[in-house]
Amino acid sequence: MSEVSVIRAGIVGATGYTGVELLRLLLGHPRVRPAVVTSRGQAGTPLSALFPNLRGQGDLRFQAPDAGALGECDVVFFATPHGVAHTLAGDLLQRGTRVIDLSADFRLRDPQLWSQWYGQPHGAPELLEEAVYGLPELNRARIPAARLIAVPGCYPTAVTLGLLPLLEAGVVDPAQLVADAKSGVSGSGRKAQVGSLFCEAAENFRAYALGGHRHLPEILQTLGEVSGVQPQLTFVPHLVPMVRGILATLYTRLLQPQTDLQALFERRYAHEPCVDVLPAGELPETRSVRGTNLCRLAVQRPQEGETAVVVSAIDNLVKGASGQAVQNMNLMFGLPETQGLEGIAILP
Amino acid sequence: MSEVSVIRAGIVGATGYTGVELLRLLLGHPRVRPAVVTSRGQAGTPLSALFPNLRGQGDLRFQAPDAGALGECDVVFFATPHGVAHTLAGDLLQRGTRVIDLSADFRLRDPQLWSQWYGQPHGAPELLEEAVYGLPELNRARIPAARLIAVPGCYPTAVTLGLLPLLEAGVVDPAQLVADAKSGVSGSGRKAQVGSLFCEAAENFRAYALGGHRHLPEILQTLGEVSGVQPQLTFVPHLVPMVRGILATLYTRLLQPQTDLQALFERRYAHEPCVDVLPAGELPETRSVRGTNLCRLAVQRPQEGETAVVVSAIDNLVKGASGQAVQNMNLMFGLPETQGLEGIAILP
Amino acid sequence: MSEVSVIRAGIVGATGYTGVELLRLLLGHPRVRPAVVTSRGQAGTPLSALFPNLRGQGDLRFQAPDAGALGECDVVFFATPHGVAHTLAGDLLQRGTRVIDLSADFRLRDPQLWSQWYGQPHGAPELLEEAVYGLPELNRARIPAARLIAVPGCYPTAVTLGLLPLLEAGVVDPAQLVADAKSGVSGSGRKAQVGSLFCEAAENFRAYALGGHRHLPEILQTLGEVSGVQPQLTFVPHLVPMVRGILATLYTRLLQPQTDLQALFERRYAHEPCVDVLPAGELPETRSVRGTNLCRLAVQRPQEGETAVVVSAIDNLVKGASGQAVQNMNLMFGLPETQGLEGIAILP
Amino acid sequence: MSEVSVIRAGIVGATGYTGVELLRLLLGHPRVRPAVVTSRGQAGTPLSALFPNLRGQGDLRFQAPDAGALGECDVVFFATPHGVAHTLAGDLLQRGTRVIDLSADFRLRDPQLWSQWYGQPHGAPELLEEAVYGLPELNRARIPAARLIAVPGCYPTAVTLGLLPLLEAGVVDPAQLVADAKSGVSGSGRKAQVGSLFCEAAENFRAYALGGHRHLPEILQTLGEVSGVQPQLTFVPHLVPMVRGILATLYTRLLQPQTDLQALFERRYAHEPCVDVLPAGELPETRSVRGTNLCRLAVQRPQEGETAVVVSAIDNLVKGASGQAVQNMNLMFGLPETQGLEGIAILP
C-alpha cells in the first residue's frame, strides 16, 4: 500500500453497537474510507437514521450484503451474530479482500468445540488454519501478514490481558484461576429483548451464566497456550447498570509470593501502546478508558497473602471489539498501530 | 411488654441514609413510635426538609442530642459515624434504655483491633463484653435478652450469610476464601464528597480498598468463630452505579466436592424468615430485595469443578443496616421477627 | 360487603409493569386477595418467574384468560394494551363483576375520537355511557356506584391535577396552556423494543410525539369539561433516564394575576388524601412520590409576571396507573380511600 | 500568527468539569499546547491524579496561579467560579495575553445587573466595554479582533440558538416566551455538595430555581438585543439524572402562524458549522451531541396551532462551555472554526 492511498473498508452488519462504534472510529481514521456498509433489514436507510451521532458524517446508506461490492474493498469487517462470517469470509478472501471478524466465528481453533458452545456446525472449518487470533499483545508478529483475523471477545480481552504476565512467568497456579467480570449493558447488543430494557437493567446488579458463558472456552484456549497446561478457570460475568465498560477482577494463587508483581506487569507491557499498567497502589475505573482502545491494569497482593488480585478495565466496544479490530487493521496495512485510536476518554 | 404498649424509639444521627431508612421502617411499624430524632447540626428542622419522602408523616423535628430525652426511650438506635455510640451508649444503658448501634463501634470484640482499623482508641471497651453481634441467623438466641446490639455492617451481612453454611459444614477450605463484593453508592453515605457525586459514580465501575476495607476484620471475626480456625479471605469491594444493593460473589475451594450444596443451603436457612435460598439454577439480583430485609442466596459449582460459587444479594440499607436493626429490635421486644419488614420490593 | 369479607380480585394481562405494580399493591392490601391473574402467553408460569420481587408472596400462577374464572371475582382489573378490555368488560359486567380498566379503552367518551387516535374501531361503545373516568379528585361522587371505571392515563393524571384549580377558578386562559411533561422509561411498558433499551435511554434525554400523543385528547376532554370551553393545550412529552416518575411543568397565562395561587391550590386540595400541595416556595421531585399514590404540587408566578407555573409530580405506575386503580377500588367497595396505599416512598 | 506556530494556552482553575473538558479538547487540538494549568489547591499534582482519562497525555501538573507564567501564554482560559476572572483578566490583557472567560464575569454588560444577580460588586467594570459575548452564531464578526471573550452560559447557548431565528424574523411575540430547560448533573460542577450526590440525583427528576436563575438576565440581554424590545421569558431549569447534555424545549406564540418555520431555521443556520437543523419531523436527543460542539435544533407547530415549539440540544460542557471556548479561540487566532472540535459523539 502506498503512503497516500486510502483503505476502502466494508462493514457487514453495522446496525448494532459494535457496528456504530466501528463506523465512528473508521470515519475518524485519516487513512480509511468506509465504502460499503451492509444490513439486510435496513437497505437504503441512511446511517444517521439508526445512529443520530452520525448525522453530518457523509451520506452513506446501508445496502444489502453483496459479495461483489464487498469484494472491492481492501478489508471487510464483520460485526454480525455468529455464523454470518462463516458464510461470506471464504468468498471475500478469494477475491483478495482481507477479513476482520468481530464475531466468534474464527476464535476457537477446534471446530467441534465451537459447535458445542454455539449449537450449530462450524461453517468454515477450512479457514481456521489461517485465522489469527487478533490480540496484538500476544500475536503481533502474525497479524501483518494475516488475511483473516478473529477479533477477541470483550471478556476474553480483559481477562487475558490481566492474566498473561502471571501465566507467562509461571508465578501463579493455572489450576486455580477466578475471573469475576462485570460488563456494561452494551455487551448484550442492540437486540430488542426484555432483559436489556432500561427498566430491567437500571438500579440493578446481577450475575449471569454461571453454568458456562461462551467466552469461557476462548479464554481457556489462550491461557492454555500461554501456560502450557490446561487451566482451570471459574468465570462469572455480571451485568452493571452502565452503558460501556468491562472491569474484570482476577484472583490467582501465587506459587512464588515474593515475585515483584508490579515490575512483572510493567516489564511485560512496557512497549504496548494499548496497555497501561497503573502505578503501584492505584486502581483502574471503566470511565478512564471509555471510548478508548486502552486496557488499564493494576496488580496487588492484599494483606501480603497468597492471592494476587489483578484489576483490568477496558471499553467493551473499543478494546473489547471495534477498536481492537482497527488496531489489527493498522497492523495489517502497515499503519501506525494506534492511528485513529488516539481520542481521549470523555470525563465526566 | 404488654400486648398493646408502644415502643418509644430514639434515633441518634438520623440525617444520613441509614437514618432515613430507619425512620421509614419505624414510621410504618405498628408497634413503634419514633419519639426522639437527634442531629446536632439540624436541631429544629422538620424531617421532611431533609427527606421529602417523609412529608405528611407527622411533624417530628430533629432535636439536639440529649441523654435525658433519649433516656426516656425504650430503645435508641445509633445511625452515626463510628465513635459516637462509644460516648453515649453507656449512659443510656444505665438509664435502662436498650441500644441498637448501626455503626461499627461494638462489632469487633477486640478493642485493640478496633483501634487499629479505625485509627482512634476504643471509647467504651467496658461494654464489649455484653454487646451482641446482631446477626439473627447466627446469634438469635442471645438477642432477646441483649441490652446492646452491634448491627453487622452491610458487606459483612452479605458475605457472612453466603459463607455460613459452607464453613459450618466444613466443606470448604477456610484458608482460600474470595469475596468479590459490589455495592450501590448509598453505601458511601450522604456525606458531600467528590467521589460520591453523580458525575463521578454514574456510567463508571471500579474496585476500591484492595489494601484493606474496615469490614474485613469484622467478617474474619465471624468466619473464624464459625470455622474454628483463622480464615484467609481476599475481600475486594466495588462501587456500582446504582443507589441501593449489594451483590457479593463468593468463591470457595471445596474440600468435599460431592456435597449437595443446594440441600445444605436450604437446610441451613429453612426456618429463617429473612433468608431466601433460590431454587437450583436461579441467581439473585439486587432489585429483587430492594427496600426489603431479605438476603437472597444461590450456590453453584460451575463446570463441576472444585470451586463453589455463592451469590448473595441484599439491600445494603435494609438487611445491611436499618432493616436488620429493626429485626433485632423485634427480637429484643418479643415482637414477631419480621413485623414492619413485610413490604414487597418495588419493581421496576 | 360485610366488614370482614375479602375482595376477590382478578387481573388481566399482569405481565407488564402496571400489572406487577398492581400485584404488589393488592398483595399488601389487607382486604383484597388476588385470585386470578391471567396472561395468554405465560399460562402456568409462577408470578415470580417474571417478577423476582414477588418470590415468597404465595404461589399464584398466571392462567389463560377465562371469563368464567374472572367472572367469579368481585372486581377485575385490566392491565392490558388498548382493545382488550373492549372485548371482555361487557361479559364481566353481566356476570356481576365490576371492572377497573387501566388501559385507554373507556377514557374517551366519544368513540369516534377514540377510533381516530387508536387506529381501530371502538369495541364497546355501548359501555361508554356508564363508564366513569376514575379521577377521584374530580369524580369522587360517581365512583362508589360505578360498575366500570376508566383509570386515567399517567400524563393526564399529572397534568389534570395541576391545572384543575386554575381552570375551575377561571383565573387562567384555557386557550394558552402548555404542558411540558417528563416521564421515566417505565411509561413505555415492558415490551421488548429498541427505544426502551438501557443503552438507548440511559445518559440521554429527548422529547417525543410533538405531533400528537394519545394522552392529548384525554387531557383536553377533562379540561374542557372543567373550563366549559374547548381548551388549547400544547403538550410535549419527554423521556427521562430513570425508571419511575412523571414531572409535568405547566405554563398558563393568568387572567387575574393578583390571585393568591397558593391559597387557591391549598383550598382546592384541602381534603384530598392523595394530593399534597407543597408550602410556598418548595418544589416537588419525583423521588418523593416513588412507589406512592401521591401527587405533589407546587404553583409559582416567576418574576411576578403573567405566567403561572405549576409543577406536578407523580409515580407514573402508582397514582398514574395501579395505585389510582386501587384508590378507585377502595371507593367502589366502601373501604378507606387510601387503604393499602400508605407506604412511604423509599429514599434514596 | 504564522502557519506553523503553536498557540500556548493557559487554563486557570482546571479542576472542575469544564476544566477537564477544555484540557481534553486542547490536548487533541493540532495547533495548541496547554502550557500552564493552574489550581491554587492542587499545585504540584499531576492532571491525571484528578482526571484519570488524562493519564498518558503528557506530564503536565497543576501549578499555583501566577500572572507571570500565564502572561507568557497567547491565550488564557478561565474555568473558574465567578469573580476570579475579574481579578486577573486586566493584568493579562496588559501583558498582551488574550482572555477567554468561561465564567459569568463578563457576560452581562450592565455591572449593576451583574452585581444584583451575583451578590457582590463587579470587579472589572472597565473591561466590559471591550468584552465580546462569544456566541459565534450571533457575534462572529467581532470575535477575531477581540481580546476578551465572555463565553455564554450553557442554558443561554441552548435557549438563545433556539429562539434567534424566530425573534430575528419577528414572527413570534417576545412578550410570551417559555423556556423549559433540562440539564445533566455536570452543569452543577464538581463541587462536593449533597444535591449533586449520586444518591440524590439518580432516579429522580426535579425543577429548580423557578424564582430566578442566574442565566435568566443573560438570556434576556441577548434576546432583547435581537428583538429590539424587552422580552418576557419564563425560564424553568430542571435536573436530569444523566451526566451531560441540555435539552431546551421552547414555547413561543406565533404572530404569523403561516410562516414556514422549517425554512426559516434552515436559512438562518445554513452556513453555521456548529448548528444542525434537523429535517422536518425529527427531534434531537442529547446523546447525539455528547462530546461535540454541535447544537441540534428542531422546530414544530403542534396541531397547526398558534404555538411554535423549538427543541434545542447541546452538550453543556462542550457547546455550552469548553467547546464554544475553543470555537472562539479558533476564530481569534485565524484557525478553521471547528479545528479540534470534529470528534463524533460516542453512541451508545
Side-chain angles (χ1 to χ4, degrees), chain C residues 294-309:
Chain C
L294 290 172
C295 175
R296 298 206 203 254
L297 291 172
V299 59
Q300 291 195 25
R301 191 180 144 219
Q303 279 77 52
E304 310 291 301
E306 290 166 56
T307 299
V309 179

Side-chain angles (χ1 to χ4, degrees), chain A residues 17 186 190 196 198-200, chain C residues 17 186 190 196 198-200:
Chain A
Y17 292 141
S186 62
R190 207 190 191 202
S196 302
F198 184 89
C199 294
E200 302 291 312
Chain C
Y17 292 141
S186 63
R190 207 191 191 201
S196 302
F198 185 89
C199 293
E200 303 291 311

Side-chain angles (χ1 to χ4, degrees), chain B residues 62-103:
Chain B
F62 293 104
Q63 59 188 81
D66 168 62
L70 290 167
E72 288 172 25
C73 294
D74 299 300
V75 60
V76 167
F77 297 87
F78 284 85
T80 43
H82 64 268
V84 177
H86 283 169
T87 69
L88 284 171
D91 188 355
L92 291 171
L93 293 178
Q94 281 192 330
R95 292 167 190 259
T97 297
R98 295 164 93 175
V99 170
I100 299 177
D101 178 24
L102 285 80
S103 86

Side-chain angles (χ1 to χ4, degrees), chain D residues 98-321:
Chain D
R98 297 163 93 174
V99 170
I100 299 177
D101 177 25
L102 284 80
S103 86
D105 280 8
F106 299 103
R107 290 179 192 157
L108 298 183
R109 260 192 310 282
D110 178 347
Q112 277 172 318
L113 187 65
W114 192 93
S115 175
Q116 188 180 314
W117 282 89
Y118 289 88
Q120 62 191 70
H122 196 287
E126 71 282 3
L127 298 178
L128 286 171
E129 180 72 32
E130 68 165 307
V132 173
Y133 189 69
L135 191 67
E137 292 76 12
L138 189 64
N139 289 333
R140 183 173 288 103
R142 298 179 56 206
I143 294 171
R147 297 199 310 161
L148 173 56
I149 294 284
V151 180
C154 52
Y155 285 127
T157 297
V159 172
T160 304
L161 290 175
L163 292 176
L164 267 189
L166 298 170
L167 290 171
E168 287 176 346
V171 299
V172 299
D173 182 354
Q176 297 198 49
L177 303 172
V178 169
D180 189 291
K182 302 89 173 175
S183 173
V185 184
S186 62
S188 305
R190 208 192 190 201
K191 202 178 133 203
Q193 49 190 358
V194 168
S196 302
L197 293 179
F198 185 89
C199 295
E200 302 291 312
E203 190 59 17
N204 192 26
F205 188 86
R206 61 182 174 92
Y208 66 101
L210 251 79
H213 187 283
R214 282 169 172 172
H215 284 174
L216 177 60
E218 180 186 342
I219 301 172
L220 289 174
Q221 173 180 281
T222 310
L223 299 186
E225 288 170 12
V226 166
S227 61
V229 300
Q230 177 62 26
Q232 301 293 326
L233 171 68
T234 303
F235 170 55
V236 180
H238 300 74
L239 194 64
V240 185
M242 64 182 180
V243 176
R244 286 176 180 236
I246 283 179
L247 192 115
T249 313
L250 311 167
Y251 301 89
T252 60
R253 296 293 289 179
L254 286 163
L255 299 172
Q256 308 173 19
Q258 299 317 318
T259 310
D260 182 339
L261 300 173
Q262 179 72 23
L264 178 66
F265 271 67
E266 290 181 0
R267 214 161 45 229
R268 176 58 178 85
Y269 291 123
H271 303 294
E272 287 299 339
C274 298
V275 179
D276 175 32
V277 177
L278 297 189
E282 295 189 15
L283 293 171
E285 43 190 328
T286 60
R287 64 174 179 163
S288 77
V289 297
R290 186 169 43 201
T292 81
N293 201 48
L294 290 173
C295 175
R296 298 208 204 253
L297 291 172
V299 59
Q300 292 196 24
R301 192 180 142 219
Q303 277 78 53
E304 311 291 298
E306 290 167 55
T307 298
V309 179
V310 179
V311 183
S312 172
I314 63 169
D315 183 322
N316 57 305
L317 295 179
V318 190
K319 184 62 178 170

